[in-house]
């Protein structure tokens, strides 16, 4: 097992565990740790003024350190106390899997960390985004329940083939954009491909719409009033650039509503508008409003058509509670209602998310088909018939009968047995020597074997994935792109050593290191590196070494002149050091 389990993680189904990878804490370099420390110190300083109060409270509750990248094992020990857990993954994972993790109260954390040159923002999910953005805010019980419920509903959303193509394109862009030394033309090509896909998605699927809701709340949400909003979205909490940008008048603030589901976003650019919810409870209200529009709750002809169009494994639930899971291929409709459906390939039947004995994918290898609706000329549906009614209409074992359904479906054969649910309603009727027709078209022949006719007047639900996750082999995830690790040369390895020396000095592991010597080497060999100079400045100020402090400041001014884009990062870092020293006096 590639992770250390606990009671919460023990409940994860196997198909989710395929996405989990070990954190490999020893792979984090001293440069990585310095990046984490800078971002966290900057964020905590700024976010204490603009973030929802749950953020700082959550940092304390979840035990996330400002000085050290969180260890997954340590995080889990603390998260477990609030009913959650965390696992490491490699960057983006499919949206439905991401949401299903949430449904199990598991936070998915991309364990890689952004490079120093992307310290303000990276399109790739990383441990700063997940650990410093998502984890603290789930300490708020109202928000944590919203997140869990979002996952529960979101993983049932039906997708389209184009959704997966877009997911792969976004994953690819996030990887190459974060990777060191990727040619600009390669990034531009990937961005144009995403733009093309977004412009040609057609009618948005359920997963596309609920992904919009996720983006404008969980990732980029604001809370409070339009005049004085606070940040709670993880994308803003983890970005020192966007958390400041979003508070300016350049970003339009809009009252949060279900309209957010129809507002698309561009992951490659700062957001031009953000949605403000009055409180966390309202998020759940809008989520339920959206869920009422989904096939999960509406079922019907439109629901099964969504499954057919998705070409993915899905489930319909009939009014008797019988659930059919498979790849839906066709539906026959009459009077705008479904009257017969067919799956193709492996299919399983379930009741209340548990597979029915004798109706696994081994029993329905080539597909499954059944009529839906009432019998012609009879007001009462088969599922509502009492044993006396069934007897009156000759629907019982040993009878050879023709069932003539509304819309032209005819089932003719000898009844062998019936299967009932816990309420005593009949949910399946098994025929021998059976023929099923729709007018002149034969849908099932006697030579196919026994015919198991599903009983149900209506399709009450249609959703993504199987009813019983154990019915299908879902361990099928294939990764086309993986995170690109930076290739280190001798110079970069030496720079990491200097960062490690200063880290060891600050934490008291080796106080014999000459900080001045490191600084001279830094100026000579790495004239554009700024973050280690900030750390050296902090140590110089702490030891009241005015001469050393001035030398570092002079060097940093030269770095700013040569790299104007680094100016605000350097100034902010110096200000943090000065503020922390004032606070300790």
């Amino acid at each position: 097992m590639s992770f250390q389990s606990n009671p919460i993680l023990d409940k994860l189904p196997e198909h989710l565990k395929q996405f989990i990878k070990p954190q490999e804490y020893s792979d984090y370099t001293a440069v990585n740790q310095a990046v984490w420390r800078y971002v966290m110190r900057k964020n905590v300083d700024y976010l204490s003024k603009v973030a929802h109060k749950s953020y700082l409270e959550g940092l304390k509750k979840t035990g996330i350190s400002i000085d050290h990248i969180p260890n997954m094992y340590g995080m889990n020990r603390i998260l477990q106390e609030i009913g959650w857990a965390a696992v490491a993954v490699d960057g983006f994972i499919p949206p439905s899997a991401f949401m299903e993790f949430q449904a199990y109260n598991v936070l998915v954390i991309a364990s890689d960390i952004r490079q120093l040159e992307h310290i303000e923002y990276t399109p790739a999910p990383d441990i700063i985004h997940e650990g410093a953005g998502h984890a603290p805010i789930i300490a708020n019980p109202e928000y944590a329940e919203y997140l869990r419920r979002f996952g529960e509903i979101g993983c049932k959303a039906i997708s389209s083939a184009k959704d997966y193509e877009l997911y792969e394109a976004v994953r690819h862009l996030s990887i190459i954009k974060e990777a060191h030394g990727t040619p600009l033309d390669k990034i531009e090509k990937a961005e144009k491909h995403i733009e093309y896909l977004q412009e040609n998605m057609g009618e948005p699927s359920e997963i596309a719409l609920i992904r919009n809701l996720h983006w404008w709340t969980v990732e980029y949400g604001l809370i409070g009033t339009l005049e004085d909003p606070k940040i709670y979205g993880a994308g803003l909490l983890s970005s020192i650039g966007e958390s400041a940008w979003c508070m300016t008048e350049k970003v339009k603030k809009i009252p949060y509503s279900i309209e957010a589901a129809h507002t698309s976003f561009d992951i490659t650019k700062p957001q031009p508008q953000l949605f403000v919810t009055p409180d966390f409870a309202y998020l759940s209200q809008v989520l339920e409003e959206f869920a009422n529009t989904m096939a999960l709750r509406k079922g019907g002809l439109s629901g099964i058509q969504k499954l057919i169009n998705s070409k993915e494994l899905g489930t319909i639930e009939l009014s008797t509670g019988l659930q059919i899971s498979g790849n839906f291929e066709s539906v026959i409709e009459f009077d705008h209602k479904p009257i017969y459906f067919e799956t193709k390939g492996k299919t399983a039947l379930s009741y209340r998310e548990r597979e029915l004995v004798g109706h696994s994918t081994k029993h329905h290898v080539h597909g499954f088909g059944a009529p839906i609706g009432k019998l012609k000329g009879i007001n009462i549906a088969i599922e509502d018939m009492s044993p006396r009614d069934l007897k009156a209409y000759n629907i019982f074992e040993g009878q050879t009968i023709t069932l003539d359904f509304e819309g032209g479906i005819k089932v003719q054969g000898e009844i062998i047995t019936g299967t009932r649910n816990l309420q005593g309603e009949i949910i399946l009727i098994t025929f021998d020597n059976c023929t099923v027709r729709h007018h002149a078209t034969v849908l099932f022949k006697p030579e196919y074997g026994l015919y198991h006719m599903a009983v149900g007047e209506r399709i009450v639900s249609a959703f993504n994935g199987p009813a019983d996750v154990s019915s299908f082999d879902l361990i099928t995830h294939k990764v086309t792109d993986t995170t690109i690790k930076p290739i280190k040369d001798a110079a970069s390895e030496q720079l990491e050593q200097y960062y490690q020396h200063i880290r060891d000095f600050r934490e008291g592991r080796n106080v014999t290191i000459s900080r001045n010597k490191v600084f001279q080497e830094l100026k000579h060999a790495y004239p554009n590196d700024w973050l280690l100079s900030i750390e050296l400045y902090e140590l110089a100020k702490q030891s009241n070494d005015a001469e050393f402090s001035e030398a570092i400041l002079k060097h940093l001014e030269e770095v700013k002149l040569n790299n104007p884009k680094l100016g605000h990062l350097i100034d902010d870092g110096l200000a943090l050091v000065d503020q922390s020293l004032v606070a300790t006096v």
Side-chain angles (χ1 to χ4, degrees), residues 1 3-11 17 73 76 80:
M1 191 160 56
F3 61 96
Q4 192 153 8
S5 197
N6 62 40
I8 295 169
L9 297 180
D10 287 343
K11 294 176 183 177
K17 292 178 182 178
Y73 175 66
N76 270 324
Q80 198 173 334

Side-chain angles (χ1 to χ4, degrees), residues 13 15 96 100 104 152 155-158 296 307 312-317 323-328 346-355 361 461-476:
H15 71 275
S96 58
E100 196 174 354
Y104 282 92
E152 193 172 53
C155 71
K156 300 295 185 185
I158 300 170
L296 175 68
L307 285 178
E312 295 285 337
L313 174 62
T315 298
I316 63 168
E317 182 174 325
Q323 296 164 316
I324 300 95
S325 301
N327 287 84
F328 288 82
K346 292 180 178 180
T347 304
L349 309 186
S350 302
Y351 181 72
R352 291 188 175 176
E353 286 72 49
R354 292 189 66 177
E355 183 179 282
T361 57
S461 182
F463 55 86
N464 168 69
D468 185 337
V469 294
S470 65
S471 295
F472 294 81
D473 177 12
L474 300 175
I475 305 176
T476 56

Side-chain angles (χ1 to χ4, degrees), residues 391-433:
K391 195 87 171 175
Y393 291 112
N394 290 322
I395 305 174
F396 59 94
E397 291 83 349
Q399 288 294 108
T400 298
I401 190 172
T402 298
L403 298 179
D404 194 355
F405 286 83
E406 293 175 346
I409 301 291
K410 285 189 178 182
V411 179
Q412 186 174 21
E414 181 188 349
I415 298 175
I416 301 297
T417 188
T419 303
R420 295 179 183 275
N421 64 18
L422 292 172
Q423 282 71 42
E425 299 166 330
I426 193 156
I427 59 175
L428 268 177
I429 300 174
T430 301
F431 292 83
D432 193 11
N433 195 29

Side-chain angles (χ1 to χ4, degrees), residues 542-576:
Q542 286 173 351
S543 60
N544 294 316
D545 190 337
E547 186 179 343
F548 191 23
S549 300
E550 284 303 314
I552 296 168
L553 286 175
K554 185 179 177 183
H555 168 64
L556 285 171
E557 284 300 321
E558 290 178 14
V559 176
K560 285 160 62 175
L561 282 172
N562 296 329
N563 304 273
K565 288 184 178 178
L566 297 177
H568 67 290
L569 292 170
I570 292 170
D571 290 342
D572 288 349
L574 295 172
L576 281 170

Side-chain angles (χ1 to χ4, degrees), residues 505 515 537-546 548-549 581:
F505 185 95
R515 292 162 291 158
Y537 175 75
E538 180 182 11
L539 295 174
K541 293 288 283 186
Q542 286 173 351
S543 60
N544 294 316
D545 190 337
F548 191 23
S549 300
L581 290 172

Side-chain angles (χ1 to χ4, degrees), residues 153-282:
I153 292 170
C155 71
K156 300 295 185 185
I158 300 170
S159 64
S160 71
K162 290 183 178 179
D163 288 317
Y164 195 78
E165 191 179 355
L166 180 61
Y167 152 73
E168 287 280 14
V170 169
R171 178 180 166 84
H172 173 69
L173 174 65
S174 72
I175 289 170
I176 64 170
K177 211 167 183 181
E178 176 59 26
H180 181 74
T182 304
L184 190 60
D185 61 336
K186 190 175 181 181
I187 292 173
E188 288 174 350
K189 183 180 177 184
E191 287 179 339
K192 284 178 182 176
H193 180 53
I194 288 175
E195 283 177 21
Y196 171 78
L197 290 175
Q198 287 177 328
E199 289 167 4
N200 293 275
M201 292 294 286
E203 184 73 21
S205 67
E206 289 180 349
I207 197 78
L209 295 175
I210 204 166
R211 190 172 60 230
N212 288 344
L213 281 187
H214 191 272
W215 182 264
W216 297 121
T217 60
V218 177
E219 296 295 347
Y220 279 80
L222 297 175
I223 187 169
T225 63
L226 295 182
E227 296 73 30
D228 184 28
K230 300 296 182 186
I231 298 170
Y232 73 91
L236 297 172
L237 292 172
S238 61
S239 171
I240 55 181
E242 286 211 83
S243 59
W245 162 258
C246 78
M247 286 296 163
T248 67
E249 292 182 0
K250 293 175 183 176
V251 179
K252 187 179 180 183
K253 314 300 190 297
I254 304 169
Y256 181 59
S257 71
I258 199 169
E259 282 305 306
H262 301 278
T263 306
S264 58
F265 59 89
D266 186 343
I267 195 171
T268 66
K269 297 181 178 70
Q271 308 310 311
Q273 80 282 308
L274 294 173
F275 290 88
V276 185
T277 182
D279 48 49
F280 288 135
Y282 189 67

